[in-house]
């Protein structure tokens, strides 16, 4: 009898305990959304349409939910700027809620993990403090793998994933040549270098095409203001890329702006929502997205690729 | 009882589960996310313990990036330039292909380098094949003039220009020395040639032989018979070059980078006319080489050291000995022959540098040390076949302007000056520079940084490897006349190899950056810097007189006697070389180095305020001051052997070379050649600017920049100084500085295609509509200050650059200036003989025509797959086919013979050029 009673209790307890969550169903699409004002929307107020058909919002991950934040450092220039950035990033990390796991990566000489995502702040900040400055800029090479990584995590786990790049990259310092330097100084009638931004525009355009398949917004803080035409085209290209992914870009014009721009970027990345929306029965490879939350202005990707990668 | 217990337990379990559910779920989800993070980063090769091969990249193709490209230009795409249309032409030859490639990626050599070794390379090649028209408008003698017939030759006013027979020169017994020379009081009289024709028997056979090599007129732009030879001749360019780079990351602390550049160029210059006497540019065979290695050592997160070694070389071989034809300088007409018809030059530079960056608290320190060695090896004879100057003086009525003609003097074989250069050996010039700089950037407050730097440089003077170097020392006594000024040679008689000691200079700078307020929308920048510029090594064998020969033949009186008869060759030198006597440079235009130790000093100060505006825009307003002194100038702007303008009172007596020379500070010299290396000039530039940057939104970004400036100096311009003794009076607007400048650049990614507002197609049509972008720039520059010059300079060789007189009360401006009349020439006048002009060196109000240029490029990118893109571009330079007016004629004649063309503009220039480009990127 006692055994029977215990078996009954255990059975009842097992039934009563929450079921372990199954992987996100394949017909559910995640739409990252950022509120473009200081107001906080009610999670239940989100509505979505996919290809102009109302789609059911089956779940909402809010800024109160856990987040995995991937901070990618691409630092190869002025020590003073880098030091200011390191201090600002460490300060922001210390302010993050306990539920946020921070992973630290480095973009120089290929993407490298410095610290796996962790809630241990001291681990991350000491890694930041000890980071050496060497190598060449790696932001453009790092964008795609980090996006792939973030999307992959989003598909496998029900956590918010945020991506933030901190860079001081100078387009002239990349290993890949975007400067189109004069090779034949004896050629007096060369007009091909009159538009020096052509190569970087092409690279950005290629990345934009590639990024059509990714969903995670990313944010960039450019620490250095190099001020020449080619670097302006580079910064504009990054901005274009970031905005096409519904992210933000901060450009520091002086060392005094670094802390503020990093603060804005952390705020933007931490305040992201993720809507889990059920796909209609027969969805196309890409769907047009519309999301609303009352009258609040929202930032999100207007078209998402939903075909399985 | 048992049932109750079961119910209670069940309720407890339910409560516990409800409390733990979110936390456990969140933890599980985070665990799952972490697991995925590790799997993915391992697959990417991004973890210390992950396999080295980046599987994902390997799967999508080789991790090399690069491009192949071809840029194509052909005259059938272009507008015929305006200057060619105006001369009746309809073609401007252009055939141009520019092609190349670039590959970048990890270096992989079996058994030597694997992809995991951290070695990256970049290789670029570019080739050019081009044939392009070059145009010029010049004046050559008319057909009658070539045979001595000047009966139709007119002056600038259209009046017959009388040619006098130098064989009939005689003193005028009625001359009154108390009165100035004039048509009514001639010191010497001459008879004009009958009918203004030189008899055939009097024509010099050498000059007539040269006429066989001189082209006939081929156009008649005018006025009168001027501007009658239009040159439209192609030049060819062949160039091949590579840049190869290797970048090795050894570990987290060490990185090596090496670079090699190599380029060869062959320029087949345009032929102004096809004969040995062609005065046009020279064929050029050039090459550049450069190699560098850089090591970066990151000792700690706050300490980085960079050391580098660099060597570069440039070689320029111009012309050939076949081009050595005597130079016949005909002044108003196109010359025959050209200076420096062949030369061989190499410039090498070797540099070792080391820099350390250190961060400590709020301090950022940067130390840098670099040592540079410069070498120039050059063989450059300026006039190896001789130079002959023909002026109007010998066929004029002595003392009377607007008589005689330089070409008539040539036909009679009467040069008033001749020169020959004899080069015996190349020169090997050397110079070194050792610099140490320190820069400290201190963070006073988070929003306020101050940067202070100082550089100490030790620079040695130019030396010649074999001490084959000389100059005139203005303090040494010349044994010929006991006056100061004698030739000295390097490393002889106690002289140092470089004549002047090494100099040590300190160059400071300071900069402040301040972001006031908490929102940091505004950035204020203030800076000041001061720097010394070294005296460069140049190609050419200036400063080797005595080792190389400078024969000079000087007329005793440029109105009466020729310097030497034109016989086809000049007399041999009287002394063999080397000739290092202290008086060896006497009676020549001697090379003079500045021995004071001065070098150019520049300073600048700047203030700018940058403000971020709504809509991703940034506006910057700023002001800048720049100035300098001891700037390097040539003989036009500095003349240590100048005669004071007070001597103009001697009037026509100054035409006597011996008397003229007696007035000079160093009478043993005809003049000094400063080679543009005399530290004497001064300048100041004040400017204010406004810059608006619209960062990209909706695909459009643009930058507009406007600058208003005023630049003054006492040395620049086409003519030089009037009064070397009154530099204040030379202070005037810089002739090449545009007072207003506006520049607009824009990039517009057209909003077409998927995810764009227009033509949002996702089917096959997306390939047509997406990937278009437009890039362009527009430049407007206001006109340059006008430089007015009188038609005649009758100052007895005292004033080399005479200015005009200003007519009081006459407005120099005209309403609605246009090509017919750009300014009012009646506001200016030719100064009377033997007086200075009272006008400014450059006019403070009158400006030349403004210039504009608009370029645009339309690009279509076609992705072939995830990694490859084909890009087509059509770039139009001066796409509006806008023509800029030429500069107006600023030569002012005397009231008796005004220049009918003064104030008018002859034609315009410019034309649209189109370049098509195709690039495959991968």
């Amino acid at each position: 009898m006692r055994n029977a009673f215990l078996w009954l209790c255990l059975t009842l307890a097992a039934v009563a305990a929450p079921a372990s969550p199954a992987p996100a169903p394949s017909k559910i699409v995640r739409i990252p959304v950022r509120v473009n004002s200081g107001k906080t929307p009610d999670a239940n107020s989100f509505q979505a349409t996919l290809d102009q058909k109302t789609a059911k919002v089956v779940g909402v991950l809010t800024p109160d939910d856990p987040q995995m934040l991937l901070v990618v450092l691409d630092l190869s220039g002025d020590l003073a700027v880098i030091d200011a950035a390191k201090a600002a990033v460490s300060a922001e990390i210390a302010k993050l809620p306990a539920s946020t796991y921070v992973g630290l990566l480095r973009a120089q000489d290929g993407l490298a993990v410095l610290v796996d995502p962790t809630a241990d702040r001291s681990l991350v900040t000491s890694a930041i403090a000890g980071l050496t400055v060497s190598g060449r800029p790696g932001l453009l090479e790092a964008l795609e793998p980090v996006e792939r990584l973030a999307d992959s995590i989003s598909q496998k786990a029900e956590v918010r994933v945020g991506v933030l790049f901190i860079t001081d990259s100078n387009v002239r310092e990349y290993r890949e040549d975007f400067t189109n330097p004069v090779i034949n100084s004896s050629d007096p009638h060369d007009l091909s270098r009159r538009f020096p931004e052509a190569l970087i525009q092409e690279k950005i355009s290629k990345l934009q095409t590639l990024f059509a398949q990714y969903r995670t917004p990313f944010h960039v803080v450019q620490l250095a203001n190099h001020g020449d035409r080619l670097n302006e085209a580079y910064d504009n290209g990054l901005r274009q890329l970031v905005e096409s992914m519904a992210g933000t870009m901060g450009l520091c014009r002086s060392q005094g702006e670094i802390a503020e721009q990093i603060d804005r970027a952390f705020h933007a990345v931490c305040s992201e929502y993720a809507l889990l929306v059920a796909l209609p029965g027969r969805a196309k490879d890409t769907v047009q997205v519309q999301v609303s939350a009352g009258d609040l202005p929202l930032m999100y990707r207007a078209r998402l690729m939903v075909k399985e990668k | 009882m048992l049932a109750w217990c079961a119910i209670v337990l069940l309720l407890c379990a339910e409560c516990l589960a409800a409390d733990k559910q979110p936390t456990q779920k969140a933890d599980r989800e985070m665990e799952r996310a972490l697991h995925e993070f590790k799997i993915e980063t391992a697959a990417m090769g991004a973890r210390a313990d992950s396999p080295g091969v980046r599987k994902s990249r390997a799967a999508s193709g080789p991790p090399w990036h690069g491009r192949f490209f071809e840029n194509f230009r052909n005259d059938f795409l272009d507008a015929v330039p305006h200057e060619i249309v105006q001369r009746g032409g309809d073609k401007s030859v252009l055939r141009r292909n520019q092609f190349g490639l670039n590959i970048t990626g990890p270096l992989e050599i079996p058994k030597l380098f694997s992809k995991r070794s951290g070695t990256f390379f970049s290789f670029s090649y570019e080739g050019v094949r081009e044939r392009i028209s070059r145009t010029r408008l010049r004046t050559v003698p008319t057909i009658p003039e070539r045979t001595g017939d000047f009966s139709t030759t007119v002056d600038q006013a259209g009046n017959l220009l009388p040619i006098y027979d130098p064989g009939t020169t005689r003193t005028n017994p009625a001359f009154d020395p108390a009165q100035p020379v004039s048509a009514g009081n001639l010191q010497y009289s001459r008879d004009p040639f009958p009918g203004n024709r030189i008899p055939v028997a009097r024509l010099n056979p050498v000059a007539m032989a040269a006429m066989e090599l001189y082209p006939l007129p081929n156009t008649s732009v005018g006025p009168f018979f001027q501007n009658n030879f239009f040159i439209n001749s192609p030049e060819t360019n062949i160039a091949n070059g590579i840049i190869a780079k290797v970048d090795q990351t050894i570990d987290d602390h060490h990185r090596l980078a090496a670079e090699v550049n190599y380029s060869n160029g062959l320029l087949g210059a345009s032929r102004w006319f096809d004969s040995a006497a062609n005065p046009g540019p020279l064929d050029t065979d050039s090459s550049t080489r450069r190699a560098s290695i850089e090591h970066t050592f990151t000792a700690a997160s706050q300490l980085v050291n960079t050391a580098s070694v660099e060597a570069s070389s440039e070689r320029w071989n111009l012309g050939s000995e076949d081009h050595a034809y005597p130079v016949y300088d005909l002044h108003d007409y196109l010359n025959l022959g050209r200076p420096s018809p062949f030369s061989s030059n190499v410039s090498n530079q070797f540099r070792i540098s080391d820099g350390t960056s250190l961060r400590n608290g709020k301090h950022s320190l940067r130390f840098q040390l670099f040592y540079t060695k410069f070498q120039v090896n050059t063989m450059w004879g300026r006039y190896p076949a001789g130079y002959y100057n023909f002026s109007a003086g010998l066929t004029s009525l002595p003392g009377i302007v607007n008589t005689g003609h330089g070409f008539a003097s040539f036909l009679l074989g009467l040069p008033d000056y001749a020169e020959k250069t004899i080069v015996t050996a190349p020169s090997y010039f050397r110079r070194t520079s050792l610099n140490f700089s320190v820069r400290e950037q201190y963070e006073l407050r988070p929003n306020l940084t101050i940067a202070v730097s100082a550089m100490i440089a030790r620079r040695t003077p130019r030396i010649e490897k074999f001490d084959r170097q000389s100059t005139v020392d203005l303090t040494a006594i010349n044994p010929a006349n006991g006056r100061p000024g004698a030739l000295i040679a390097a490393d002889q008689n106690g002289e140092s190899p470089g004549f002047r000691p090494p100099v040590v200079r300190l160059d400071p700078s300071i900069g402040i950056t301040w972001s006031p307020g908490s929102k940091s929308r505004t950035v204020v920048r203030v800076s000041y810097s001061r720097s010394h510029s070294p005296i460069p090594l140049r190609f050419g064998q200036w400063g080797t007189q005595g080792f190389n020969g400078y024969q000079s033949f000087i007329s005793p009186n440029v109105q009466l006697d020729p310097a030497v008869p034109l016989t086809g060759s000049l007399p041999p030198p009287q002394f063999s070389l080397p000739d290092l006597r202290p008086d060896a440079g006497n009676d020549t235009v001697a090379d003079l180095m500045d021995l004071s130790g001065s070098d150019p000093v520049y300073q600048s100060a700047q203030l700018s305020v940058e403000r971020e505006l709504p809509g991703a825009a940034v506006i910057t307003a700023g002001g800048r001051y720049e100035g300098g002194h001891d700037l390097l100038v040539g003989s036009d702007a500095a003349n240590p052997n100048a005669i004071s303008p007070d001597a103009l009172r001697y009037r026509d007596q100054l035409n006597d070379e011996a008397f003229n020379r007696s007035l000079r500070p160093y009478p043993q010299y005809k003049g000094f050649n400063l080679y543009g290396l005399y530290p004497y000039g001064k300048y100041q530039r004040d400017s204010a600017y406004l810059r608006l940057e619209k960062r990209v939104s909706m695909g459009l970004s643009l930058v507009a920049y406007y600058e208003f400036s005023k630049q003054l100096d006492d040395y620049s311009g086409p003519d030089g100084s009037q009064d070397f003794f009154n530099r204040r009076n030379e202070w005037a607007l810089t002739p090449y500085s545009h007072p207003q400048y506006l520049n607009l650049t824009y990039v517009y990614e057209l909003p077409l295609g998927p995810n764009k507002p227009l033509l949002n197609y996702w089917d096959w049509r997306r390939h047509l509509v997406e990937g278009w972008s437009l890039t362009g720039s527009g430049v407007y520059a206001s006109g340059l200050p006008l430089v007015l010059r009188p038609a005649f300079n009758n100052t007895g060789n005292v004033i080399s650059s005479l200015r005009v007189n200003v007519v009081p009360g006459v407005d120099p401006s005209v309403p609605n200036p246009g090509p017919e009349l750009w300014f009012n020439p009646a506001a200016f006048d030719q100064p009377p003989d033997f007086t200075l002009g009272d006008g400014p060196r450059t006019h403070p109000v009158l400006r030349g025509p403004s210039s504009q240029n608009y370029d645009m490029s339309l690009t279509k990118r076609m992705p072939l797959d995830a990694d490859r893109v084909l890009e087509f571009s059509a770039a139009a330079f001066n796409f509006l086919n806008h023509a800029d007016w030429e500069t107006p004629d600023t030569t002012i004649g005397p009231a008796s013979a005004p220049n009918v063309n003064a104030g008018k503009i002859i034609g315009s220039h410019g034309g649209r050029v189109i370049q098509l480009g195709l690039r495959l990127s991968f």
Side-chain angles (χ1 to χ4, degrees), chain A residues 71-196:
Chain A
V71 178
V72 186
L73 301 179
D74 174 39
L75 306 173
S76 56
D78 185 353
L79 287 179
V81 167
I82 290 171
D83 228 27
K86 281 179 174 179
V89 170
S90 295
E92 292 299 329
I93 286 172
K95 287 192 273 181
L96 292 172
S99 61
T100 302
Y101 275 48
V102 181
L104 192 67
L105 299 97
R106 178 184 179 173
Q108 269 76 45
D109 301 326
L111 192 67
V113 177
L114 298 176
V115 179
D116 282 330
T118 174
D120 183 348
R121 303 291 180 251
S122 62
L123 208 59
V124 180
T125 50
S126 63
I128 290 171
L131 183 68
T132 54
V133 180
S134 70
R136 293 187 176 274
L139 179 68
L140 292 177
E141 285 82 21
L143 287 171
E144 192 271 342
V146 173
E147 275 297 280
R148 185 150 38 91
L149 173 65
D151 267 22
S152 176
I153 295 167
S154 301
Q155 283 174 0
K156 297 283 166 60
E158 209 169 281
V159 295
R160 294 181 307 131
V161 181
V163 177
L164 172 60
F165 291 91
I166 309 287
T167 181
D168 64 348
S169 51
N170 179 340
V171 69
R172 295 175 188 280
E173 297 294 323
Y174 273 95
R175 277 184 173 137
E176 190 176 350
D177 170 40
F178 301 111
T179 61
N180 200 12
V182 172
I183 295 178
N184 292 305
S185 54
S186 63
D187 176 17
H189 308 121
D190 181 16
L191 296 175
S192 67
R193 293 171 171 88
R194 204 61 92 79
F195 299 106

Side-chain angles (χ1 to χ4, degrees), chain B residues 742-760:
Chain B
L742 179 65
N743 186 5
L744 177 73
T745 56
Y746 55 90
V747 177
Y748 188 31
E749 297 282 342
L750 300 184
L752 311 175
N755 278 336
K756 303 282 173 64
L758 303 173
L759 307 179
N760 189 0

